[in-house]
Amino acid sequence: MRLGGDAAEYAAVHTTADLVEAVSAADVAGTPVVVLGEGSNLVVGDGGFDGIAVHVRTGGFDIDGATVTVDAGVHWDDVVTRTLDAGLGGLEPLSGVPGSTGGTPVQNVGAYGALVSQFLHDVQAFDRRTREIVTIPGGACGFGSHRQSIFKHSDRWVILSVRFALDQTGTSRPIVYAGLAQRLALNVGDVAATDDVRAAVLELRRERAMLLDADDHDTWSVGSFFINPVLPSIPVKARDCPTYPDVAGVKLPAGWLIDHAGFAPGYGAQWGRGRVRLSTKHALAVTNRGGATTGEVMAFAAHIREGVERAFDVRLGPECDLVNCSFDDPAPEWLAAASAN
């Protein structure tokens, strides 16, 4: 999002051993740690971080038949392209997702009908409680409910590498996302060449400003800022909202709730100083239009949350990771004064 303060210390690590050593040394010294991939899902407070930012730059990559083992620091889209080039299918709907491989199991990254958990065999991680390196099978990663895992919002685990089991084919799995099928001029359930699926996915992401472009402020975001809420039952006020089944109850699309609460794409030009707005492409991304502070972003997020709760009795939370900042932070003084007037 191009905002937030500095870390007190910074260390880039290029091997798994150095990654474990950096985190272990900080833990022994009592130094707070934030482990960074590419920061694509991270919002840092204006006051920065009084600890060490460990930047994972590991680059190991191995293909053995249909099994692919990737270090946490490898850029995710490189994994997609390299597996497709090797004749392996499955990951093509996840083309263009920003960030590094180590971040993909954290929120069970998904797009256009595919989820990382469908292909994830196991995760190698450093357990900061026991100080051991462990292998966690995909079935023990806590996937299931929307965008959840044992790694999310937990500082216990440092992901070191991820192993995937892919398909030895140049044809996609059946396409289940209607918009993708339509773009490919196919029916839901049809299959297509993996390269064709990748091209269509990148087109769709580009149209929604979900591919990084330094000149396009709609991409100055963390993508989906708010997580789709999963509730045990639907509030009366939200009875017209589309719903999707989830193991923990019923999932409601946060973008629909935001839009129908009166916050259309592009909303925010008249809010505050106009430096924080919703994306002009869709209502789920909070964007920095240039010169914004994290304090403004948090106040804007709280403003959206309050409006949705008023309209639908549904309280939204962050999809992204927040470091030294919160929706409940006090609004900047100038914004509080303007709101009072």
Side-chain angles (χ1 to χ4, degrees):
M1 293 194 77
R2 296 171 171 80
L3 43 72
D6 296 331
E9 299 178 63
Y10 168 83
V13 294
H14 297 272
T15 70
T16 295
D18 287 345
L19 172 54
V20 172
E21 173 60 26
V23 174
S24 297
D27 287 345
V28 169
T31 303
V33 178
V34 60
V35 178
L36 292 174
E38 296 183 10
S40 59
N41 201 44
L42 189 70
V43 183
V44 179
D46 295 311
F49 178 66
D50 189 19
I52 183 170
V54 177
H55 190 177
V56 183
R57 305 294 299 274
T58 53
F61 196 110
D62 178 73
I63 296 178
D64 181 7
T67 301
V68 181
T69 306
V70 187
D71 277 356
V74 176
H75 179 64
W76 172 251
D77 201 51
D78 288 347
V79 178
V80 178
T81 58
R82 290 176 69 173
T83 55
L84 292 182
D85 288 346
L88 300 176
L91 301 181
E92 58 279 357
L94 302 177
S95 295
V97 173
S100 57
T101 301
T104 59
V106 176
Q107 58 180 8
N108 190 13
V109 164
Y112 299 103
L115 292 165
V116 161
S117 58
Q118 295 171 325
F119 310 98
L120 189 145
H121 185 275
D122 57 50
V123 172
Q124 185 186 63
F126 175 59
D127 185 342
R128 295 172 67 188
R129 290 185 189 172
T130 65
R131 302 180 186 273
E132 296 176 324
I133 294 176
V134 297
T135 298
I136 304 173
C141 289
F143 303 130
S145 187
H146 178 68
R147 293 289 188 269
Q148 295 301 317
S149 72
I150 63 172
F151 314 111
K152 190 163 188 175
H153 303 312
S154 170
D155 60 4
R156 176 177 178 177
W157 309 100
V158 178
I159 294 176
L160 306 177
S161 65
V162 186
R163 183 160 52 168
F164 301 96
L166 302 181
D167 303 324
Q168 290 183 303
T169 175
T171 304
S172 71
R173 291 187 177 186
I175 295 167
V176 298
Y177 188 86
L180 178 57
Q182 183 178 17
R183 179 57 57 98
L184 290 162
L186 298 172
N187 296 314
V188 171
D190 288 347
V191 299
T194 53
D195 287 344
D196 290 344
V197 174
R198 173 174 169 78
V201 166
L202 292 176
E203 285 179 2
L204 290 167
R205 293 188 69 86
R206 189 172 291 108
E207 290 169 6
R208 291 172 60 81
M210 301 301 281
L211 292 178
L212 184 62
D213 180 349
D215 296 324
D216 182 359
H217 284 271
D218 276 342
T219 74
W220 289 32
S221 77
V222 291
S224 299
F225 195 90
F226 300 93
I227 193 168
N228 292 331
V230 176
L231 307 175
S233 60
I234 303 171
V236 173
K237 288 184 178 181
R239 60 184 178 275
D240 294 328
C241 181
T243 60
Y244 303 92
D246 188 275
V247 296
V250 183
K251 180 175 69 177
L252 282 65
W256 187 98
L257 294 168
I258 293 166
D259 198 347
H260 287 76
F263 307 112
Y267 174 84
Q270 307 304 317
W271 182 91
R273 295 173 176 170
R275 302 191 300 195
V276 182
R277 305 180 201 172
L278 296 179
S279 166
T280 64
K281 307 297 193 299
H282 61 95
L284 197 51
V286 174
T287 68
N288 174 7
R289 310 316 290 192
T293 67
T294 304
E296 287 176 87
V297 171
M298 293 299 107
F300 184 77
H303 171 65
I304 299 294
R305 179 182 66 179
E306 291 163 6
V308 169
E309 191 164 19
R310 254 192 327 269
F312 298 112
D313 287 338
V314 176
R315 190 171 179 85
L316 297 179
E319 166 80 48
C320 50
D321 289 326
L322 306 180
V323 174
N324 198 21
C325 58
S326 165
F327 289 11
D328 297 317
D329 289 346
E333 290 184 7
W334 61 265
L335 180 58
S339 300
N341 294 330

